[in-house]
Amino acid sequence: MSKEKQTIHEFDLNVIYEYFSNVERQGPGSQEITLKALSFIEGLTEKSKVADIGCGTGGQTMVLAQNIPCEIIGVELWSDFINQFNQNAQNKNLHDRMKGIVGNMENLPFQEEDLDLIWSEGAIYNIGFKRGLNEWRKFLKQGGYIAVTENTWFTEERPAEIQEFWQKAYSEIDTIPNKVAQMQKAGYLPIATFIVPESCWTNYYSIMQKTHASFLKKYNGNKTAEEFVGYQRYEAELYYKYKAYYGYVFYIGKKI
Ligand code: SAH
């Protein structure tokens, strides 16, 4: 599509997605935490089928593929990310059993009881934790697993500034026991939860920070780009100030 034909909205999204496509992961995470979450999951074989929802360019999906023998499908809304995902899979010689497809987590292209494992790092917030757990459950086989990261409060109370920021940015943010209860109510046995270490956030923000200057230079004078970077910087600043109060938690459950 030529730039002239794009609406402002589409152009804005392109700018934002380009910013994220320059990094290996589009959210806080690491090989270590992917492997730690994977260590709670049993029974995967060559015949198992796994979906990674909101996979981005596939940083974590590659780690999964290198450590389990299953067929893996990455689902992602943004086609540029999927192109990169499939390129990465090819480069790592994993393309015979992993594939990225363009799709929407609100309308996943799977059959009921199709999957042995649903993975989603830093992405379920797009549909909402409760809705994602409830709607995706039908795609899992009985005894299948789900493993997701979700932004979570670490304390019962927190300073107003951070409370208000996240309330506005993601009103479903809640405490670990409340999230675990939601998982149980959605029909899963909660298997494990663990906090994604601070280093994942600081790595994520520092990589982002490195791309800010060149990004702003390229889009010199573009209001969307400036506002977007401004918002990213503010979010990072708040994280450093209030990291004792919130962060990502991995939730691993088993369909019962
Ligand atoms: N899992 C990756 C990417 C996390 S960023 C990682 O941890 O690095 C969240 C991703 O969800 C983005 O790539 C975004 O494009 C994707 N996304 C947002 N809404 C979506 C939807 N409705 N369906 C599928 N993917 C979606």
Side-chain angles (χ1 to χ4, degrees):
M1 196 194 292
S2 75
K3 285 270 181 291
E4 293 73 33
K5 283 199 187 132
Q6 288 177 328
T7 64
I8 301 246
H9 180 66
E10 283 166 336
F11 176 68
D12 288 352
L13 269 181
N14 274 329
V15 170
I16 290 163
Y17 274 96
E18 187 197 314
Y19 173 90
F20 279 111
S21 63
N22 294 321
V23 293
E24 189 186 305
R25 281 182 178 243
Q26 289 77 38
S30 71
Q31 171 157 331
E32 289 71 31
I33 66 141
T34 298
L35 291 177
K36 184 168 173 176
L38 195 56
S39 74
F40 293 102
I41 290 154
E42 289 170 355
L44 296 173
T45 70
E46 287 89 353
K47 294 202 180 106
S48 307
K49 194 167 162 187
V50 177
D52 184 4
I53 314 294
C55 57
T57 58
Q60 69 296 321
T61 335
M62 306 297 144
V63 177
L64 291 177
Q66 282 161 337
N67 289 279
I68 51 176
C70 322
E71 178 192 350
I72 305 180
I73 298 129
V75 182
E76 164 60 49
L77 202 55
W78 194 247
S79 61
D80 287 357
F81 283 177
I82 283 301
N83 293 340
Q84 176 119 33
F85 178 109
N86 285 321
Q87 189 61 55
N88 291 348
Q90 188 120 24
N91 295 346
K92 292 188 180 346
N93 211 17
L94 294 164
H95 56 286
D96 55 332
R97 58 189 180 83
M98 75 185 293
K99 186 172 70 187
I101 57 172
V102 176
N104 193 332
M105 62 173 76
E106 296 184 23
N107 184 19
L108 289 172
F110 300 113
Q111 308 286 318
E112 293 198 5
E113 314 245 318
D114 202 8
L115 303 170
D116 297 275
L117 169 63
I118 291 179
W119 203 267
S120 187
E121 287 190 43
I124 197 171
Y125 72 89
N126 287 294
I127 188 172
F129 185 77
K130 272 186 276 183
R131 189 175 158 204
L133 290 184
N134 280 293
E135 288 187 12
W136 299 348
R137 186 178 177 277
K138 61 179 173 291
F139 301 116
L140 279 176
K141 291 177 190 153
Q142 198 77 24
Y145 288 84
I146 188 159
V148 301
T149 57
E150 166 78 341
N151 207 3
T152 304
W153 293 127
F154 296 156
T155 56
E156 277 295 326
E157 304 205 347
R158 43 267 150 189
E161 187 182 23
I162 196 62
Q163 170 78 31
E164 280 157 22
F165 176 82
W166 280 112
Q167 207 55 46
K168 204 165 153 215
Y170 184 56
S171 63
E172 261 198 67
I173 186 169
D174 211 332
T175 58
I176 296 177
N178 289 345
K179 293 277 173 197
V180 169
Q182 288 164 8
M183 183 170 243
Q184 178 94 54
K185 278 203 191 86
Y188 303 88
L189 176 65
I191 297 286
T193 66
F194 64 89
I195 291 173
V196 172
E198 238 175 82
S199 57
C200 291
W201 288 81
T202 50
N203 282 345
Y204 169 70
Y205 285 134
S206 82
I207 292 166
M208 288 288 166
Q209 204 177 0
K210 281 184 201 134
T211 65
H212 285 158
S214 57
F215 182 76
L216 284 178
K217 199 168 160 206
K218 177 165 179 193
Y219 290 103
N220 186 19
N222 180 299
K223 215 163 167 282
T224 306
E226 282 167 5
E227 275 172 13
F228 179 70
V229 167
Y231 186 81
Q232 290 289 314
R233 284 180 172 155
Y234 181 53
E235 188 193 302
E237 239 172 69
L238 287 179
Y239 178 73
Y240 287 106
K241 194 165 165 193
Y242 294 115
K243 57 187 163 46
Y245 297 95
Y246 71 98
Y248 268 176
V249 173
F250 235 118
Y251 295 90
I252 296 126
K254 187 173 182 175
K255 178 172 170 177
I256 45 179

